[in-house]
């Protein structure tokens, strides 16, 4: 099991930017496919972006494509989500998740596949 801690959330005006971080500890980070999910108040948790263990493959939800960038630094055991051109609809709690995988390949986009989750960080975008 890997322990995950998100940081970097906050309040920002529409059009602004934030960078979220997800720090991992407890297991070898580089064997985990990673992802960001978010959950807005009263809504289901939804996929945002995922990245393979060696960063070769990334996936994005259509709603964030071109505005958000997922990345990771295995030497620092940390994953990032750079969020630009933020919109009020991006307001949610953002969670990072990890899935231990044997080989490099596209990271899952389904939440139920992920075993390890952080506690979440709130992102609020004002209009």
């Amino acid at each position: 099991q890997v322990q995950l801690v998100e940081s970097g959330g906050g309040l920002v005006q529409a059009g602004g930017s934030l960078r979220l971080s997800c720090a991992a500890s407890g297991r070898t980070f580089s064997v985990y496919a990673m992802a960001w999910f978010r959950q807005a108040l009263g809504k289901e948790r939804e996929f945002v972006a995922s990245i393979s263990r060696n960063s070769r493959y990334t996936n994005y939800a259509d709603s964030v494509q071109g505005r958000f960038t997922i990345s990771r630094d295995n030497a620092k055991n940390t994953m990032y989500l750079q969020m630009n051109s933020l919109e009020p609809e991006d307001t949610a709690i953002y969670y990072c998740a990890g899935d231990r995988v044997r080989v490099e390949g596209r990271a899952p986009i389904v939440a139920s596949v992920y075993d390890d989750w952080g506690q979440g960080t709130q992102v609020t975008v004002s209009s």
Side-chain angles (χ1 to χ4, degrees):
Q1 187 176 5
V2 64
Q3 287 75 48
L4 302 172
V5 179
E6 302 95 337
S7 61
L11 173 64
V12 64
Q13 289 189 329
S17 298
L18 282 174
R19 188 173 85 152
L20 305 184
S21 297
C22 173
S25 62
R27 287 278 190 172
T28 305
F29 180 64
S30 61
V31 302
Y32 282 80
M34 299 294 296
W36 290 97
F37 290 82
R38 67 186 182 186
Q39 188 166 18
L41 191 64
K43 295 189 176 181
E44 300 268 328
R45 187 170 297 191
E46 66 174 1
F47 169 77
V48 176
S50 66
I51 187 167
S52 60
R53 46 189 268 177
N54 292 329
S55 304
R56 181 175 181 182
Y57 303 102
T58 58
N59 291 300
Y60 295 92
D62 289 344
S63 58
V64 307
Q65 181 77 48
R67 299 188 298 122
F68 291 10
T69 302
I70 190 171
S71 63
R72 66 190 293 166
D73 185 339
N74 287 347
K76 295 183 178 179
N77 291 345
T78 304
M79 175 180 67
Y80 305 96
L81 185 68
Q82 178 67 43
M83 304 187 296
N84 298 328
S85 302
L86 282 161
E87 304 168 352
E89 293 74 24
D90 295 317
T91 295
I93 299 175
Y94 283 71
Y95 299 90
C96 65
D99 175 37
R100 188 172 182 180
V101 294
R102 292 185 179 181
V103 297
E104 175 73 345
R106 289 200 175 273
I109 65 172
V110 178
S112 60
V113 174
Y114 290 87
D115 294 323
D116 299 304
W117 292 81
Q119 83 290 347
T121 186
Q122 176 71 49
V123 172
T124 303
V125 184
S126 63
S127 57

